[in-house]
């Protein structure tokens, strides 16, 4: 049975859900961007997020770099990693066949997970930071400081992605390839380069997400898979290939998870997420912002 809570408790749950949902959206940005351009699901997405989270861990423990400051070196590093992965591993191995790309990314996921397992073992690790459990008192709700920071950075990243796609020549080329690959190649756009740039942007957003997650979350070699399950629901809700849809979908899913956890218990919090997933597939398969094929 549902329990009754004061309005302040419900409001606090909604606000914390929005903060959590922004990070979910950040994880989903790369997934929806790759789908929108390459028209494939990147099965290595979860393993790449895990790799990024371990990179944050190593940067902090080995070099004393704060997770938030780690955004500066890790974002370009993971962009280069994603670019190289698509250009020199995924594309040659798959020979641009969509079915083969799915198998290659699945194989990469297995390789990365087992590589991390061999290096770090199966232990669960966390970072001990002064601000991990700090809260922001708004006067009507107590909000986790790391989540507030994550919310702000997620909005900045969403705006930056929009600006790249809408205002730059590279962004115009990405949109052209997403719409019509053959036509884009005929006007001189290097399609393989654009594919790699898109994959690199997806990897870069994962690096940012990992930096925002580590101050308040744990990491082990399989932790990325749990986030990708939620991120996939976010992408389906928002519309495959839509950055705005991923942002709105992430916020909605965050609130649904938070309220489900409040009324049904923490262990059942994700029931609401998968209920939303089923309802979207049944009644609006294109999602909130998706277009019909």
């Amino acid at each position: 049975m549902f329990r009754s809570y004061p309005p302040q408790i419900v409001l606090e749950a909604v606000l914390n859900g929005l903060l959590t949902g922004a990070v979910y959206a950040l994880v989903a940005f790369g997934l929806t961007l790759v789908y929108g351009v390459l028209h494939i699901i990147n099965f290595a997405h979860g393993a790449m997020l895990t790799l990024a989270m371990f990179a944050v861990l190593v940067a902090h423990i080995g070099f004393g770099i704060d997770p938030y400051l780690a955004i500066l070196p890790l974002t370009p590093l993971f962009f280069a990693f994603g670019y190289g992965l698509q250009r020199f591993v995924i594309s040659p191995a798959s020979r641009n066949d969509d079915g083969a790309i799915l198998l290659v990314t699945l194989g990469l996921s297995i390789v990365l997970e087992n590589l991390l397992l061999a290096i770090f073992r199966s232990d669960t690790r966390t970072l001990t930071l002064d601000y991990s459990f700090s809260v922001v008192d708004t006067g009507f709700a107590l909000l986790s400081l790391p989540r507030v920071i994550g919310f702000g950075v997620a909005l900045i990243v969403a705006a930056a992605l929009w600006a790249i796609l809408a205002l730059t020549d590279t962004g115009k080329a990405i949109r052209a390839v997403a719409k019509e690959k053959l036509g884009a190649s005929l006007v001189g756009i290097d399609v393989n380069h654009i594919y790699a740039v898109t994959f690199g942007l997806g990897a870069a957003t994962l690096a940012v997400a990992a930096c925002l997650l580590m101050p308040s979350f744990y990491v082990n070699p399989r932790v990325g898979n749990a986030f990708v399950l939620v991120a996939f629901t976010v992408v389906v809700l928002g519309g495959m290939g839509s950055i705005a849809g991923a942002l709105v979908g992430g916020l909605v899913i965050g609130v649904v998870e938070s309220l489900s956890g409040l009324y049904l218990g923490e262990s059942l919090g994700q029931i609401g997420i998968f209920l939303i997933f089923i309802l979207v597939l049944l009644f609006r398969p294109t999602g909130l912002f998706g277009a019909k094929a």
Side-chain angles (χ1 to χ4, degrees), residues 194-242:
I194 294 301
Y195 278 177
V197 168
T198 303
F199 212 87
L201 287 173
T205 60
L206 285 179
V208 178
C211 293
L212 299 178
L213 284 169
M214 282 306 294
S216 59
F217 209 75
Y218 65 87
V219 62
N220 61 47
R222 300 190 185 279
V223 70
N225 294 331
F227 282 100
V228 168
L229 286 173
V230 178
F232 187 71
T233 305
V234 169
V235 171
V236 171
L237 174 61
M240 302 293 278
S242 171

Side-chain angles (χ1 to χ4, degrees), residues 25-50:
L26 194 53
V27 176
F29 285 157
L31 199 62
T32 198
L33 191 60
V34 169
Y35 179 85
V37 179
L38 278 69
H39 305 296
I40 58 104
I41 300 297
N42 174 21
F43 285 118
H45 200 72
M48 291 169 65
L49 174 61
T50 307

Side-chain angles (χ1 to χ4, degrees), residues 9 59 75 80-81 93 97 133 169 177 192 215 218 229 259 262 271 274 289:
I9 299 296
T75 300
F81 171 70
D97 176 77
F133 299 100
D169 290 339
V177 171
N192 288 329
Y218 65 87
L229 286 173
L259 292 177
L262 178 66
I271 283 181
F274 299 112
F289 293 84

Side-chain angles (χ1 to χ4, degrees), residues 32-253:
T32 198
L33 191 60
V34 169
Y35 179 85
V37 179
L38 278 69
H39 305 296
I40 58 104
I41 300 297
N42 174 21
F43 285 118
H45 200 72
M48 291 169 65
L49 174 61
T50 307
L51 179 65
M53 293 175 74
F54 272 112
V56 177
L57 183 78
V58 170
H60 181 73
I61 294 177
F63 302 97
I65 302 174
D66 184 271
Y68 295 131
L69 294 179
I71 290 175
L72 299 177
L74 289 183
T75 300
L77 180 63
F78 268 77
F79 173 83
F81 171 70
Y83 183 98
L85 198 62
Q86 202 287 326
R87 191 70 187 263
F88 304 114
V89 178
I90 295 174
S91 183
S94 63
R95 298 178 183 177
N96 292 321
D97 176 77
D98 289 351
I101 290 175
L102 294 175
L103 293 176
V104 171
T105 59
L106 180 60
L108 280 171
S109 174
I110 295 171
V111 169
L112 288 175
E113 282 187 8
N114 283 278
L115 184 63
L116 291 171
L117 190 61
I119 296 172
F120 296 100
R121 305 302 177 189
S122 59
D123 299 336
T124 295
R125 294 173 168 84
T126 58
L127 292 180
T128 303
L129 302 165
D130 294 336
Y131 53 80
S132 291
F133 299 100
S134 298
V135 296
V136 176
D137 188 353
T138 63
F140 52 85
L142 294 175
L143 305 176
S144 167
L145 177 60
R147 291 185 180 185
V148 171
I149 294 173
F151 181 83
V153 174
L155 294 183
I156 292 171
V157 171
L161 284 175
W162 175 85
I164 290 171
L165 294 174
L167 305 177
T168 68
D169 290 339
T170 298
K172 293 174 184 177
I174 289 173
R175 288 187 286 121
V177 171
K179 285 288 186 182
E180 179 53 61
K181 179 175 70 173
L182 180 59
S185 64
L186 289 175
V187 298
I189 296 175
D190 186 344
V191 173
N192 288 329
H193 170 68
I194 294 301
Y195 278 177
V197 168
T198 303
F199 212 87
L201 287 173
T205 60
L206 285 179
V208 178
C211 293
L212 299 178
L213 284 169
M214 282 306 294
S216 59
F217 209 75
Y218 65 87
V219 62
N220 61 47
R222 300 190 185 279
V223 70
N225 294 331
F227 282 100
V228 168
L229 286 173
V230 178
F232 187 71
T233 305
V234 169
V235 171
V236 171
L237 174 61
M240 302 293 278
S242 171
I243 296 296
L247 179 60
V248 174
L251 297 177
V252 170
I253 290 299

